[in-house]
Amino acid sequence: MLNNVRHDEKVNTQALQAELDTQAQLYADEKGTEMENVAPTDLEKAGYLTAKQVAAIEKHHLKVEKNEQ
């Protein structure tokens, strides 16, 4: 049971990280800035994330990660 909880938490955190990165890229493209300069609170103020999402991001200490392709 505990392993399922940990797995679910890991999947949730990964999904939240993906959402953060995607929204940060969209915001950065729109504003003409670098992703690394975008904070979750910027995304909330601009309507890219909800307050609940930002709270979860802060709880998990997530940061914007630029995917190098």
Side-chain angles (χ1 to χ4, degrees), residues 7-18:
H7 174 73
D8 291 348
E9 182 69 20
K10 181 179 178 184
V11 169
N12 183 46
T13 301
Q14 289 172 337
L16 196 56
Q17 181 69 59

Side-chain angles (χ1 to χ4, degrees), residues 5-68:
V5 171
R6 287 184 182 151
H7 174 73
D8 291 348
E9 182 69 20
K10 181 179 178 184
V11 169
N12 183 46
T13 301
Q14 289 172 337
L16 196 56
Q17 181 69 59
E19 181 71 10
L20 173 60
D21 294 341
T22 299
Q23 296 305 322
Q25 183 65 63
L26 292 169
Y27 178 90
D29 290 348
E30 181 182 296
K31 301 295 183 184
T33 189
E34 294 295 320
M35 268 180 74
E36 295 83 3
N37 298 329
V38 178
T41 53
D42 296 330
L43 298 173
E44 180 186 1
K45 288 176 191 169
Y48 286 82
L49 294 174
T50 66
K52 185 176 178 180
Q53 287 171 311
V54 172
I57 287 165
E58 291 172 351
K59 175 184 173 191
H60 294 287
H61 308 287
L62 301 178
K63 304 287 182 205
V64 173
E65 297 177 353
K66 185 173 185 177
N67 292 333
E68 299 296 331

